[in-house]
Amino acid sequence: MNGGLLVAGTTSDAGKSVVTAGICRWLVRQGVKVAPFKAQNMSLNSFVTREGAEIGRAQAMQAQACRIEPTALMNPVLLKPGSDRSSQVVLMGKPVGEMTARGFFGESEGASPGERLHGGRQQALLGTVLDCLAELRGTYDAVICEGAGSPAEINLRRTDIVNMGIARNARLPVLVVGDIDRGGVFASFFGTVALLSPEDQELVAGFLVNKFRGDVSLLEPGLDMLHGLTGRRTYGVLPFRHGLGIDEEDGLRVSLRGAVRESAVAAPVGEDVLRVAVCAVPLMSNFTDVDALAAEPGVVVRFVDRPEELADADLVVVPGTRGTVKALEWLHRRGLADALRRRAAEGRPVLGVCGGFQILGEHIEDEVESRAGHVDGLGLLPVRVRFAREKTLTRPVGQALGEHVEGYEIHHGVADVSGGEPFFSDGAGNRLDGCRVGAVWGTHWHGSLESDGFRRAFLREVAAAAGRRFVPAPDTSFAALREEQLDLLGDLIEQHADTDALWRLIESGAPQGLPFIPPGAPA
């Protein structure tokens, strides 16, 4: 078997990432050797592979659904926005420069050297993308690809390398996912196909309805009419399920959002709950760091942007950010900087992660990210940060609070720590990263709270400093919870999709003779 499929969507956030993960988990449970792929991802939530490559967290999650190690091949192009107009381009896991949107999608007059490096156009990366996909297809029985946004972005079609561009070059059948919870799903399905060229329409096999609430029998007449209008079938109707948005690409959602926003918080083991406030800084990156906190019974996690929202918080987290200086300015402007200083003076817990760690330090020297030069930090930790052009991308292992800890680092800032207690250390007690002063902690390590023993020990420290009679659950396993979620995604596909038809699509490609739906793509 050398199968493949592209999961496209009528919009961003239609459910492409979770549907891709669900198909991957369903396939691997059938004994299929499967891998995920996304040619180009735009996200501030990223992950470091074991070989030190940076890829989107969604692809790392999908690799876990496949029960394989993630690699750079699975996400060869990652764009990390630094503003509304520019992004850092990460190619094969390594940053290669900043680029404007115009420079990336099509070269313009006055292009910067970084833009000219890439020929000023996204299309120059198509060869790299296709080579990665070919290597995966030569290794695995099936590769399930995820598109980006909508395949009917007619303004970007000429240089598309992530939707129909790659489907046409690799002859992949396309399944279009639509979020019916938003409304307008029939118009979205029809319009998506009708705005594609005849060559692209030949590859669009059909549709998958996502997030349906209610009686499916009431939807079926519409699906029949859609088939009559387009000649394409619907491969399944997935019901709405809470808490399935694991490892979101962006936004203010966390991957265990069912525990955070949509369902009741589990009862605490001790007498008190623990309240965690996460500062919703601009360009927030890897907000998935708080997922493991949200998974703990009795821990309530929320995002905040006003100082008064910190008043009843037992722990405040300043998360990672793609714009450290911009986030620092935002904290001052919102009054949160003074609130954080007051908390520290009162001995109330604060945790800074990556960019948040840098913000809590004494000063920042940045000629790379913001080019702001010298900027004073909040002065809560004895740390001086200098931004280096080379990005640190590692998977460190250490100890903290007597427990084993694993994490990953993604940062340009180099920290010079001149005091405080080590946060993470080696077996001999030597500092590996971060520091602690009183109830203020800071670290560059993302993902450390996924280490169960360390997370419990850290929460006990927070509870003691906050005066809460909170007791961490003794048996919460974040890894097991994530596996449960991935199995739930596989169950959705197995129980609510036509898996026989889906198997034929992956194995044999799009059906022959699919009709053309006018008007097609504009010239």
Side-chain angles (χ1 to χ4, degrees):
M1 180 179 180
N2 184 19
L5 176 70
L6 175 70
V7 179
T10 56
T11 63
S12 295
D13 202 33
K16 296 183 293 291
S17 295
V18 294
V19 168
T20 300
I23 293 173
C24 287
R25 178 49 63 100
W26 162 66
L27 284 172
V28 81
R29 293 195 306 207
Q30 309 308 308
V32 178
K33 189 179 177 185
V34 60
F37 180 76
K38 185 162 185 172
Q40 174 193 304
N41 200 347
M42 179 174 280
S43 178
L44 289 173
N45 281 342
S46 58
F47 183 75
V48 179
T49 67
R50 293 207 180 275
E51 68 267 28
E54 185 180 7
I55 66 172
R57 273 199 69 100
Q59 281 60 67
M61 174 269 292
Q62 291 160 358
Q64 186 175 349
C66 298
R67 298 183 178 138
I68 58 176
E69 276 291 323
T71 72
L73 292 171
M74 298 170 187
N75 180 207
V77 182
L78 173 64
L79 305 180
K80 303 192 73 175
S83 71
D84 291 340
R85 294 178 175 270
S86 67
S87 295
Q88 183 182 66
V89 180
V90 179
L91 180 61
M92 295 303 296
K94 304 296 180 183
V96 294
E98 295 282 329
M99 188 173 292
T100 64
R102 178 172 291 184
F104 189 70
F105 289 105
E107 189 170 1
S108 60
E109 285 188 41
S112 70
E115 290 167 350
R116 289 194 294 271
L117 173 67
H118 302 289
R121 59 180 63 245
Q122 185 184 32
Q123 188 69 18
L125 299 173
L126 180 60
T128 298
V129 163
L130 291 173
D131 287 347
C132 291
L133 178 57
E135 186 169 343
L136 288 174
R137 296 187 79 179
T139 305
Y140 293 90
D141 299 328
V143 178
I144 308 303
C145 307
E146 179 188 342
S150 162
E153 306 286 0
I154 56 178
N155 56 317
L156 302 176
R157 176 62 190 88
R158 182 173 59 86
T159 55
D160 170 45
I161 64 169
V162 65
N163 290 305
M164 301 311 300
I166 193 161
R168 193 167 65 222
N169 277 278
R171 304 308 300 170
L172 291 172
V174 178
L175 183 68
V176 180
V177 177
D179 179 358
I180 197 170
D181 198 49
R182 293 182 174 189
V185 74
F186 292 115
S188 298
F189 282 145
F190 183 88
T192 296
V193 179
L195 281 175
L196 299 178
S197 68
E199 295 82 4
D200 287 345
Q201 287 194 24
E202 289 177 359
L203 297 171
V204 178
F207 313 107
L208 186 75
V209 176
N210 192 28
K211 302 182 186 177
F212 179 72
R213 306 175 192 247
D215 185 346
V216 176
S217 66
L218 299 177
L219 185 67
E220 288 171 348
L223 301 179
D224 292 339
M225 286 184 274
L226 181 66
H227 184 269
L229 288 166
T230 66
R232 290 158 175 85
R233 58 167 299 167
T234 297
Y235 283 77
V237 178
L238 307 186
F240 189 98
R241 290 285 186 269
H242 290 289
L244 293 181
I246 58 178
D247 283 7
E248 301 280 357
E249 291 187 348
D250 271 308
L252 278 183
R253 295 170 297 276
V254 295
S255 65
L256 289 172
R257 62 183 181 183
V260 178
R261 290 172 176 267
E262 295 167 340
S263 63
V265 176
V269 175
E271 296 180 46
D272 290 342
V273 299
L274 209 61
R275 296 172 176 85
V276 179
V278 184
C279 295
V281 298
L283 299 172
M284 181 164 50
S285 61
N286 287 67
F287 53 78
T288 48
D289 284 330
V290 300
D291 289 2
L293 295 178
E296 282 287 344
V299 176
V300 183
V301 179
R302 67 185 189 273
F303 290 95
V304 303
D305 60 3
R306 297 191 301 270
E308 55 268 26
E309 293 179 294
L310 305 189
D312 68 343
D314 301 306
L315 169 67
V316 174
V317 178
V318 186
T321 171
R322 171 79 167 87
T324 300
V325 171
K326 184 179 292 187
L328 178 58
E329 292 170 349
W330 180 86
L331 289 169
H332 280 293
R333 191 166 61 250
R334 303 287 299 188
L336 287 160
D338 289 338
L340 287 167
R341 287 188 174 118
R342 286 194 297 271
R343 283 187 67 89
E346 294 165 0
R348 302 177 67 197
V350 177
L351 170 65
V353 180
C354 200
F357 171 40
Q358 298 164 6
I359 285 169
L360 299 182
E362 295 172 350
H363 82 248
I364 298 164
E365 195 69 35
D366 181 12
E367 299 293 347
V368 176
E369 190 175 77
S370 68
R371 297 181 175 85
H374 177 89
V375 178
D376 289 331
L378 298 186
L380 305 184
L381 293 174
V383 178
R384 296 169 177 246
V385 175
R386 175 185 56 82
F387 274 66
R389 296 199 175 278
E390 184 175 346
K391 182 183 283 191
T392 298
L393 296 168
T394 63
R395 292 273 293 270
V397 176
Q399 295 181 357
L401 304 177
E403 300 287 347
H404 177 78
V405 187
E406 298 182 17
Y408 58 99
E409 295 185 66
I410 306 170
H411 55 90
H412 285 279
V414 178
D416 178 14
V417 182
S418 59
E421 302 174 37
F423 195 177
F424 298 120
S425 60
D426 61 15
N430 299 308
R431 187 192 309 271
L432 293 178
D433 180 79
C435 70
R436 172 186 182 178
V437 175
V440 180
W441 294 267
T443 176
H444 272 132
W445 290 16
H446 294 289
S448 63
L449 293 166
E450 295 179 20
S451 298
D452 296 327
F454 165 67
R455 182 180 64 255
R456 295 183 194 116
F458 177 71
L459 289 176
R460 283 192 289 269
E461 293 270 327
V462 168
R468 294 285 185 188
R469 289 172 294 183
F470 170 84
V471 178
D475 55 355
T476 301
S477 167
F478 184 75
L481 288 172
R482 173 152 293 188
E483 277 296 303
E484 287 176 14
Q485 285 190 309
L486 292 170
D487 277 331
L488 284 173
L489 294 179
D491 291 344
L492 278 180
I493 297 299
E494 190 168 334
Q495 296 167 11
H496 300 282
D498 185 339
T499 52
D500 289 339
L502 197 56
W503 182 276
R504 290 193 298 271
L505 188 62
I506 293 168
E507 190 173 35
S508 304
Q512 297 297 308
L514 293 169
F516 171 71
I517 308 301

